[in-house]
Amino acid sequence: MTEVSSLTGRLLVAAPALTDPNFDRAVVLLLDHDEEGSLGVVLNRPTPVGVGDILASWAGLTGEPDVVFQGGPVSLDSALGVAVIPGDEGPLGWRRVHGAIGLVDLETPPELLGPALGSLRIFAGYAGWGPGQLEGELNESAWYVVESEPGDVSSPRPERLWRAVLRRQRSELAMIATYPDDPSLN
């Protein structure tokens, strides 16, 4: 078995040719990546469901838009909290994933975490890959792997995140940001 280099904390940006509707123009933050598989959340799929409708105690702590995001096609009935907490030490109920980005234990009383939160997003479901599955998709050029920035988690305009992440790259990837939604119309 080959060694897997961890991509935890990085972004997977869907290539325009990726045809899976769950990941069309998706930006996925990888929360875990090792030889046992990968887990992430789609950062740019807001739903019309308000956070207050399902997790009222957390509603006042999320940024705009104050809605639940569809984190991926797996376990849509479960919720994950992803927060940016500046500084070296995070509070009880938060586990660092990469840099200032971490997972929130949604069973923790929000008042314990609230003062420390830089931003918070709630995701219904997640994106998951079994052992070697993501590496296969990367070999097929289905995804671009790029560095994440803390602001990606809390982008106030998630519908523009795919283009924004590509545009900031200092390579030919920046040109992909101009790829039309429907190339057949060209």
Side-chain angles (χ1 to χ4, degrees):
M1 181 168 185
T2 60
E3 184 176 321
V4 174
S5 176
S6 181
L7 299 176
T8 299
R10 307 220 22 222
L11 297 178
L12 299 177
V13 181
L18 184 59
T19 58
D20 183 335
N22 291 303
F23 298 110
D24 180 46
R25 304 259 170 143
V27 177
V28 177
L29 172 65
L30 282 175
L31 301 171
D32 192 26
H33 176 252
D34 58 26
E35 64 278 347
E36 295 178 20
S38 303
L39 180 139
V41 289
V42 179
L43 297 178
N44 59 335
R45 294 282 192 276
T47 71
V49 178
V51 172
D53 295 338
I54 60 164
L55 291 170
S57 61
W58 289 98
L61 299 173
T62 58
E64 290 298 321
D66 186 19
V67 298
V68 175
F69 282 66
Q70 183 174 342
V74 182
S75 294
L76 291 171
D77 58 345
S78 66
L80 285 170
V82 177
V84 174
I85 296 185
D88 294 332
E89 295 297 319
L92 183 67
W94 179 80
R95 180 178 62 86
R96 185 178 312 279
V97 171
H98 178 77
I101 300 168
L103 285 168
V104 172
D105 178 357
L106 295 173
E107 299 295 322
T108 302
E111 53 275 4
L112 292 179
L113 284 167
L117 292 177
S119 66
L120 171 67
R121 280 274 156 85
I122 304 295
F123 297 90
Y126 62 90
W129 294 265
Q133 186 180 4
L134 178 57
E135 288 74 17
E137 292 180 17
L138 293 173
N139 288 335
E140 293 170 1
S141 300
W143 301 97
Y144 307 116
V145 179
V146 301
E147 294 298 325
S148 64
E149 295 181 2
D152 296 333
V153 171
S154 59
S155 173
R157 300 209 157 216
E159 71 280 358
R160 296 183 180 177
L161 192 59
W162 186 83
R163 290 189 195 282
V165 169
L166 288 170
R167 194 171 290 123
R168 74 178 183 226
Q169 303 308 307
R170 298 188 185 275
S171 66
E172 64 278 351
L173 284 182
M175 291 298 294
I176 303 291
T178 63
Y179 199 86
D181 291 333
D182 184 355
S184 68
L185 297 176
N186 281 349

